[in-house]
Amino acid sequence: MSTTPDPRAEYRRRLRHRQTTVIGGSLAVMAALVVLSLMVWSGVLPIPLDPGFSSSSDNTTPAVQPCPPSDATTVEVTSFQVNVYNGTDTAGLAGVVADALSDAGITVANTADWPKGAYAGDVQLTTSVSGLVHAYSLARIFTGTVIIQIDENQDPADATVGVVLGEEYSESIMSAGEISMLRAGEPISAPSGCVTPTTSSEG
């Protein structure tokens, strides 16, 4: 005489089987992930996914500078006027640099906050096309990174140079004695990738 299987016992058996399968599979996946994580952390495996984040320098387009005139040579930095602009949140920075320039015999016509707001770089020199030789001559007194740009709002006949101090500026200026040692008549080298300014850059 055969016995009828207990439905509840069969259900419990199947339930235990499913639970064992699910738990065992989960543990196996977790163990595999731990092993992979350790291998990536130790450098055995490369990071499988690149989030594609870029550094700020990667996202910053390098400024295209105007080329100096052909065969141009430096002039005395005391032979022209400059304006000093503060492109940072540091109060009084323009005045401090203006005093240093004045001590070196450079004529400072004006100091003010940079009209365009903040400048993220070190030093930016702005001028008209007619003042490019002045700007390249003045660039020598700064020991940091100097970018020269054409100020399209400046009168083409105005050769004044604007000195814009940026967030990266950190007293990167020569002493008055060092500035006095700079000589006129030295060849001006064109920066890499510079563009010859046209008449459209003057207005």
Side-chain angles (χ1 to χ4, degrees):
M1 181 177 179
S2 61
T3 59
T4 303
D6 185 353
R8 288 176 296 180
E10 181 67 16
Y11 171 77
R12 287 194 294 271
R13 185 186 68 79
R14 291 180 179 178
L15 180 61
R16 284 195 297 271
H17 178 72
R18 285 198 298 268
Q19 289 175 338
T20 300
T21 301
V22 171
I23 294 174
S26 298
L27 291 175
V29 170
M30 291 176 63
L33 290 175
V34 170
V35 171
L36 287 174
S37 299
L38 289 174
M39 294 178 72
V40 171
W41 178 78
S42 63
V44 175
L45 290 178
I47 299 176
L49 295 177
D50 182 1
F53 296 147
S54 300
S55 64
S56 58
S57 59
D58 291 337
N59 292 329
T60 303
T61 302
V64 177
Q65 301 186 77
C67 297
S70 178
D71 300 324
T73 58
T74 59
V75 298
E76 295 287 351
V77 293
T78 56
S79 65
F80 52 90
Q81 291 186 335
V82 304
N83 295 321
V84 184
Y85 299 103
N86 187 353
T88 75
D89 293 330
T90 304
L93 181 60
V96 171
V97 173
D99 288 343
L101 295 175
S102 297
D103 289 343
I106 298 172
T107 302
V108 178
N110 184 41
T111 61
D113 288 334
W114 180 228
K116 295 184 179 181
Y119 175 56
D122 188 346
V123 176
Q124 178 176 262
L125 303 181
T126 64
T127 189
S128 65
V129 174
S130 62
L132 282 176
V133 170
H134 292 173
Y136 277 100
S137 298
L138 187 67
R140 298 179 299 163
I141 75 171
F142 295 100
T143 59
T145 301
V146 181
I147 299 296
I148 295 176
Q149 296 285 276
I150 296 294
D151 183 354
E152 297 181 352
N153 296 318
Q154 186 166 329
D155 188 324
D158 183 2
T160 301
V161 177
V163 179
V164 184
L165 307 171
E167 296 293 344
E168 295 182 4
Y169 178 80
S170 179
E171 300 182 5
S172 54
I173 186 173
M174 291 180 174
S175 65
E178 291 172 323
I179 294 174
S180 68
M181 298 296 291
L182 298 176
R183 293 291 177 261
E186 297 180 354
I188 296 176
S189 299
S192 177
C194 70
V195 175
T196 302
T198 60
T199 53
S200 59
S201 300
E202 298 181 29

